[in-house]
Amino acid sequence: MVSRVSAWFWNERLWFPEGLGWADLEDKDGRVYAKASDLWVALPIALTFLVIRQIFERFVATPLALLMGVKEKVRLRVSHNPSLESFYCNTTKNPTQSSIESLCKQTGCSERQVQRWFRRRRNQDRPSLLKKFREASWRFTFYLLAFIAGLAALIDKPWLYDFKVMWDGFPVLTLLPSQYWYYMIELGFYGSLVFSVASDVKRKDFKEQMVHHVATILLISFSWCVNYIRAGTLIMLVHDSSDYLLESAKMFNYAGWRNACNYIFIFFAAVFIYTRLYIFPFYIIYTTYVYPLTMYPPFFGYYFLNCLMMILQCLHIFWAILILRIAIRFLSANEKVDDERSDKEETDESGDELEEKEEVKNGLVQNGYTIHNNNHRKTE
């Protein structure tokens, strides 16, 4: 059964134009070609990245955060309340008004005290500023180095300047050592992101990020197996060209360097829109969707490649809308750039703050609950 499925999956008619097949990619005459078995190398690379990341965040990112003045906001911890904690963990973190009234009856607390408890409890679960900074600095370092390495690997290649050249001689394209390591390192990094998803900061576009990671891994793996190496290197370079700018803007944002964050973000927005909404669809996708049809009749691999690229393009449009919304707000009102995908820190409402001040005047306050001093005479 397994051998039958494998034979169907690797059928030459699925992945190659008519008249070409796996025999054309066998090593001979000193020429080396990409092989599906090479992809196993990405697994230990991904695990190595996880180890390197832990070392980097501890010995590089944390001191850098202190140097840049990343300040952790002191979060008030809630007092232990079994009823509220059970509702928070098992029902919802954002209770409705009717649920709040029911919880008030169960705990003997006022509505405001219950609301404050849930606000502070939600804040306790949010990732710290230091964690966000370390994650951004790790991604910034990788994307920057990957972009430099990709540019060095492609700077002397003719298909960087004329995209149609990527198809010359397809699929009999010799594998270069620089292409091999560029592919394996990129694939290993995205694999490490999937492995670390449980511990990374979860943003509002978490599902879109996961779709992007999976589509990227599939695209890299597929393009490797059927020797779309030249197209794959161009796609990775285009993506790496703007990602490090976004991560650097995040780092400055977490450090409170408002002007640096804002202007880097505007530069990132310009690069992102140019590469993802212009270069990627009108040059790379055009070259993979239109140009091959002038050379070969369409086949399954052709459709599969372009389907994955269209998924990425849809995600580019989704993120471009978010980026433009932030950029327009900044340019029109000079507001601080904030990542709309992140959960905002919740603060006590002004009414709560006034109430707390009054409570401090009348008695001690612990975690938002007043301990009244009842040691006074009845005549006072």
Side-chain angles (χ1 to χ4, degrees):
M1 178 65 181
V2 174
S3 60
R4 189 177 302 172
V5 172
S6 177
W8 171 84
F9 182 80
W10 295 110
N11 189 305
E12 294 178 342
R13 298 287 65 79
L14 290 177
W15 306 114
F16 293 99
E18 188 174 354
L20 298 169
W22 300 113
D24 297 296
L25 300 183
E26 293 179 358
D27 297 347
K28 54 187 174 182
D29 301 328
R31 303 184 69 179
V32 179
Y33 301 95
K35 302 175 184 62
S37 58
D38 295 335
L39 297 177
W40 288 109
V41 176
L43 182 58
I45 291 177
L47 297 177
T48 302
F49 269 127
L50 293 176
V51 175
I52 294 175
R53 175 177 176 175
Q54 295 301 316
I55 298 172
F56 176 89
E57 290 187 353
R58 181 173 181 179
F59 296 104
V60 179
T62 300
L64 180 61
L66 296 175
L67 185 64
M68 293 183 66
V70 175
K71 297 179 180 178
E72 288 280 27
K73 183 175 182 179
V74 178
R75 293 172 177 173
L76 297 175
R77 301 191 66 82
V78 298
S79 60
H80 180 64
N81 189 308
S83 298
L84 298 181
E85 185 69 26
S86 176
F87 189 91
Y88 179 88
C89 295
N90 301 321
T91 307
T92 180
K93 298 179 181 180
N94 297 278
T96 61
Q97 182 61 34
S98 60
S99 298
I100 291 176
E101 293 173 358
S102 175
L103 291 170
C104 289
K105 295 177 182 178
Q106 294 179 33
T107 61
C109 301
S110 67
E111 277 190 28
R112 185 157 293 174
Q113 288 173 333
V114 172
Q115 291 170 347
R116 187 186 304 137
W117 189 96
F118 274 92
R119 272 197 301 276
R120 291 178 177 172
R121 184 65 179 84
R122 288 192 293 267
N123 282 336
Q124 281 182 208
D125 282 351
R126 287 191 170 85
S128 66
L129 206 60
L130 179 59
K131 178 178 175 62
K132 292 179 179 179
F133 181 90
R134 291 190 300 195
E135 183 179 310
S137 60
W138 163 247
R139 298 194 186 204
F140 162 77
T141 302
F142 175 82
Y143 289 137
L144 178 60
L145 294 177
F147 176 66
I148 294 173
L151 196 60
L154 293 173
I155 195 69
D156 60 341
K157 304 300 185 295
W159 57 87
L160 178 63
Y161 310 97
D162 184 1
F163 289 170
K164 292 182 180 180
V165 178
M166 76 171 75
W167 294 105
D168 288 354
F170 173 82
V172 188
L173 305 174
T174 305
L175 177 64
L176 304 176
S178 59
Q179 295 173 327
Y180 175 86
W181 288 111
Y182 190 27
Y183 253 79
M184 294 303 110
I185 290 174
E186 286 274 359
L187 185 58
F189 178 75
Y190 281 103
S192 72
L193 293 183
V194 173
F195 292 150
S196 64
V197 68
S199 59
D200 286 346
V201 176
K202 289 183 174 58
R203 304 183 187 278
K204 293 178 181 178
D205 65 343
F206 172 76
K207 294 180 180 179
E208 289 81 3
Q209 284 281 4
M210 286 304 300
V211 171
H212 174 270
H213 294 341
V214 172
T216 300
I217 290 173
L218 287 175
L219 183 57
I220 292 175
S221 302
F222 166 71
S223 63
W224 177 266
C225 291
V226 294
N227 218 14
Y228 290 154
I229 304 296
R230 294 179 180 178
T233 52
L234 288 173
I235 294 169
M236 291 188 292
L237 183 67
V238 165
H239 281 73
D240 291 336
S241 65
S242 61
D243 286 341
Y244 70 91
L245 293 171
L246 175 61
E247 299 303 330
S248 64
K250 290 181 185 178
M251 292 169 62
F252 285 113
N253 181 42
Y254 300 145
W257 296 24
R258 176 178 175 179
N259 289 335
C261 167
N262 290 350
Y263 293 116
I264 290 176
F265 182 84
I266 295 301
F267 183 53
F268 155 75
V271 174
F272 182 95
I273 291 172
Y274 178 73
T275 56
R276 308 285 183 95
L277 300 187
Y278 178 65
I279 296 295
F280 189 74
F282 294 108
Y283 284 88
I284 295 182
I285 292 183
Y286 176 84
T287 308
T288 60
Y289 183 77
V290 176
Y291 188 68
L293 296 180
T294 64
M295 304 168 59
Y296 309 105
F299 54 102
F300 176 79
Y302 160 83
Y303 291 116
F304 187 71
L305 171 70
N306 285 285
C307 181
L308 290 175
M309 295 183 69
M310 291 306 299
I311 291 174
L312 288 180
Q313 186 56 34
C314 290
L315 292 172
H316 294 165
I317 296 172
F318 169 79
W319 283 317
I321 293 172
L322 296 181
I323 291 168
L324 286 174
R325 188 183 303 168
I326 298 172
I328 291 173
R329 187 171 66 235
F330 163 69
L331 291 174
S332 61
N334 195 28
E335 295 180 2
K336 178 182 177 182
V337 169
D338 285 319
D339 189 350
E340 292 193 355
R341 303 172 303 153
S342 300
D343 291 330
K344 300 293 189 297
E345 182 84 8
E346 294 181 87
T347 57
D348 289 339
E349 298 173 358
S350 57
D352 289 342
E353 294 174 355
L354 292 173
E355 182 190 68
E356 287 186 356
K357 291 179 181 179
E358 188 66 25
E359 288 172 345
V360 171
K361 290 166 64 178
N362 295 330
L364 301 176
V365 176
Q366 286 185 351
N367 294 320
Y369 298 96
T370 306
I371 304 176
H372 294 287
N373 180 10
N374 293 320
N375 298 324
H376 57 270
R377 296 190 301 272
K378 293 182 180 180
T379 55
E380 288 182 350

